[in-house]
């Protein structure tokens, strides 16, 4: 039954900014182990805020967030950091360190969080992870020598190197051309298979949503407006829902 239980449970999530900017008004989202959940919604609908609340980068006003069965609001900072290490976050504009090679960029999280690793363990982890994202040949390059798609891959590798069980992707294909976007979508699936991760993918790219999603939720007016598979939502009777799929 283990793969049936939700690994992420968001219940009644509220978040406002200032007096009259109610962004989340009771969002409920569950993600099962091994699932890829896509979140759709117009710009400003609270998609990024939702996943930031999930890892408590932003504090929610109200609501329950359980990850791996643990209620995050009950954790102190040290306990929270232990959980956060099991969650990889690929930020919308996640930047690499420009003055460091790819190898050094990947070594950085290991130095911080895997201080016990020997030099050969570090090198092995870097090489293995780069291979997983199809970039073995870029190991000694500088970020400036790489294409946008390759930099995204390095960013993903830097997250993957700590072997997270959950991956949060915020617009992973935005700003990339169609072919490169397709490659990133394929990579998301290959990572799901290889690392057995559970993912939330925020995207506007419907090809990415179609390719990567096991299920989709659509946010509107601070709530989950509807959810379903790509195929069911595409045929929804609701014109507003269908408008995402044109
Ligand atoms: N730190 C903040 N202060 C004030 N407003 C914010 C802040 N962060 C986000 N917002 C507002 O919350 C809304 C939702 O933001 P966001 O989750 O980033 O939207 P999106 O669905 O495009 O990812 C937006 O209107 C944004 O302006
Ligand atoms: Mg966003």
């Amino acid at each position: 039954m283990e793969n049936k239980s939700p690994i992420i449970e968001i219940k009644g999530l509220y978040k406002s900014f200032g007096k009259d900017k109610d962004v989340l008004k009771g969002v409920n989202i569950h993600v099962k182990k091994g699932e890829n959940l896509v979140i759709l919604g117009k710009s400003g609908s609270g998609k990024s805020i939702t996943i930031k609340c999930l890892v408590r980068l932003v504090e929610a006003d109200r609501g329950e967030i359980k990850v791996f069965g643990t209620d995050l609001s009950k954790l102190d900072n040290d306990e929270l950091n232990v959980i956060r290490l099991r969650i990889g976050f690929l930020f919308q504009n996640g930047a690499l360190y420009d003055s460091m090679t790819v190898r050094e960029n990947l070594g950085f999280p290991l130095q911080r969080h895997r201080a016990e690793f020997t030099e050969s363990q570090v090198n092995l982890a870097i090489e293995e992870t780069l291979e997983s994202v199809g970039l073995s040949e870029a190991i000694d390059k500088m970020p400036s020598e790489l294409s946008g798609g390759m930099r995204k891959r390095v960013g993903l590798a830097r997250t993957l190197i700590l072997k997270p069980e959950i991956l949060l992707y915020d617009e992973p294909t935005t700003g990339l051309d169609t072919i490169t976007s397709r490659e990133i979508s394929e990579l998301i699936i290959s990572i799901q298979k290889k690392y057995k991760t559970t993912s939330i993918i925020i995207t506007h790219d419907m090809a990415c949503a179609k390719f990567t999603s096991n299920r989709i939720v659509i946010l509107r007016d601070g709530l989950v407006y509807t959810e379903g598979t790509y195929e069911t939502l595409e045929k929804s009777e609701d014109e507003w829902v269908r408008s995402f799929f044109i």
Side-chain angles (χ1 to χ4, degrees), residues 117-127:
F117 272 24
T118 62
E119 196 179 323
S120 64
Q121 282 176 310
V122 167
N123 285 329
L124 188 64
I126 292 173
E127 285 156 21

Side-chain angles (χ1 to χ4, degrees), residues 15 35 37 40-41 43 62 65 69 71 75 117 166 173 183 202 215 233 239 243 245:
K15 180 69 189 174
E35 191 176 30
L37 179 81
L40 294 177
S43 194
R62 191 141 59 90
I65 296 168
D71 185 342
L75 303 183
F117 272 24
I166 293 174
T173 65
E183 287 169 2
I202 293 174
R215 190 161 54 92
L233 294 180
E239 201 176 328
S243 73
F245 295 80

Side-chain angles (χ1 to χ4, degrees), residues 17-18 21 23-24 41-50 52 58 92 170-171 202 204 219:
F17 291 101
K21 179 117 198 168
V23 180
L24 305 179
K42 301 274 185 249
S43 194
S45 59
K47 304 181 296 297
S48 296
I49 290 296
T50 300
K52 284 177 184 163
V58 168
Q92 210 158 340
D170 199 347
E171 306 208 5
I202 293 174
H204 285 125
L219 293 189

Side-chain angles (χ1 to χ4, degrees), residues 28-32 35-41 47 199-219 224-235 240-242 244-245:
N28 298 305
I29 292 176
H30 290 200
V31 191
K32 282 180 281 188
E35 191 176 30
N36 276 351
L37 179 81
V38 162
I39 303 183
L40 294 177
K47 304 181 296 297
S199 301
I200 295 182
I201 303 145
I202 293 174
T203 189
H204 285 125
D205 170 359
M206 294 310 289
C208 173
K210 182 173 189 175
F211 197 75
T212 62
S213 64
N214 301 119
R215 190 161 54 92
I216 295 176
V217 302
I218 308 184
L219 293 189
V224 172
Y225 182 74
T226 188
E227 68 165 83
T229 62
Y230 185 97
E231 289 71 25
T232 49
L233 294 180
E234 184 184 33
K235 292 191 225 95
W240 184 84
V241 172
R242 269 201 325 275
F244 282 88
F245 295 80

